[in-house]
Amino acid sequence: MVRPEAPEDEPASPRPRRPGVRWIAFIVVLLALMYAVLQAVHALPHWLDPFSEKTKDRSGPAVLRSIQNLSRYEAATGNFQVIVDLEKDARFLPGAIRGQRTLFVGTGSVDAYVDFSGLGNGTVTTDKDRTSVTIRLPHAKLEKTNLDPKRSYVFAQQRGLFDRIGQFFSSNPNQQQQLYVLAAQKIQDAAGSSGLAERADTNTKQMIMNLLRGLGFKTVTVTYATSP
């Protein structure tokens, strides 16, 4: 009796390939290679770096636009330093891929001054013997922050892969400007609550009293026209 031969196993049909996975892997490898190339280029000596820059100052001379007469007394100056911690993140990407964090040290000063330009008739009154005098002054005001570019700098910066690649091929001056603006605003706010204007009022009052006493007045009274 002849037994029927067992049917051979049919070869398993291959699973459908997923081209999306290969493309993702290709992009990841390409980005890693670009990152390695950038790191290698930055590690080269200056004379071997094909992307090295040479600075040339082609600026023209400064032009005087206007002159303004000042009638004020600089009574006090406050020196401030602030650390700006600015972080930018992508909504759906991790920080290692897209995002950056910058620590910026801002150093600047704020001047407090008393404006004498508004002083008019009735500001200074004396008695008949000219031994007593009363002077009415405005309160001190704060000048805008004068940020020192030589002592203001980026202390540390962390960037994602996309940001490193983008910064290598193009610069972003608006980011530096944003850091300076934030630092100046924070210093201005600190100056407003530091008592700098009150110190300027005291210094101005003392200066006026010493000046008038040097002119022969025995009694000097300083009042203020408006509230601070």
Side-chain angles (χ1 to χ4, degrees):
M1 184 175 181
V2 179
R3 295 181 179 180
E5 296 181 357
E8 296 180 358
D9 295 336
E10 297 181 359
S13 58
R15 295 182 179 179
R17 296 181 178 180
R18 301 175 62 184
V21 176
R22 293 195 305 170
W23 276 108
I24 294 175
F26 175 75
I27 292 174
V28 171
V29 173
L30 181 61
L31 292 176
L33 289 175
M34 293 179 64
Y35 179 76
V37 170
L38 294 178
Q39 294 294 325
V41 168
H42 286 299
L44 289 174
H46 178 74
W47 59 278
L48 285 178
D49 187 356
F51 301 101
S52 62
E53 296 181 352
K54 184 178 180 180
T55 303
K56 294 183 179 180
D57 187 0
R58 302 183 184 275
S59 307
V63 178
L64 177 63
R65 299 294 299 272
S66 64
I67 295 178
Q68 182 180 359
N69 295 328
L70 299 179
S71 301
R72 63 187 189 183
Y73 173 63
E74 301 287 344
T77 299
N79 298 307
F80 299 87
Q81 187 177 79
V82 63
I83 297 179
V84 177
D85 188 348
L86 184 62
E87 185 174 3
K88 296 182 179 180
D89 293 326
R91 186 174 181 182
F92 300 107
L93 292 176
I97 300 297
R98 182 70 170 88
Q100 57 181 332
R101 182 180 180 185
T102 306
L103 296 179
F104 178 79
V105 178
T107 304
S109 60
V110 178
D111 296 331
Y113 66 94
V114 176
D115 189 1
F116 292 154
S117 61
L119 301 181
N121 296 331
T123 300
V124 180
T125 58
T126 61
D127 61 354
K128 295 181 179 180
D129 299 333
R130 298 186 63 86
T131 58
S132 299
V133 60
T134 301
I135 182 169
R136 181 178 297 179
L137 298 176
H139 279 285
K141 298 180 180 179
L142 297 180
E143 186 63 90
K144 293 183 179 179
T145 301
N146 181 22
L147 207 62
D148 188 351
K150 293 184 178 180
R151 296 190 295 163
S152 302
Y153 56 93
V154 175
F155 175 74
Q157 190 173 45
Q158 297 176 350
R159 300 186 302 271
L161 181 60
F162 287 170
D163 297 271
R164 287 179 178 270
I165 296 175
Q167 189 174 14
F168 181 81
F169 291 103
S170 63
S171 60
N172 185 10
N174 292 330
Q175 183 182 5
Q176 287 285 346
Q177 182 182 11
Q178 184 180 10
L179 293 171
Y180 274 82
V181 170
L182 285 174
Q185 184 59 52
K186 292 181 180 297
I187 289 177
Q188 193 74 34
D189 295 340
S193 58
S194 65
L196 182 61
E198 290 77 6
R199 172 67 67 88
D201 283 339
T202 302
N203 294 344
T204 305
K205 179 180 178 180
Q206 189 64 41
M207 184 272 296
I208 292 293
M209 293 179 67
N210 293 337
L211 177 64
L212 295 178
R213 285 172 180 169
L215 295 176
F217 292 98
K218 297 181 180 180
T219 304
V220 179
T221 304
V222 178
T223 61
Y224 294 96
T226 58
S227 59

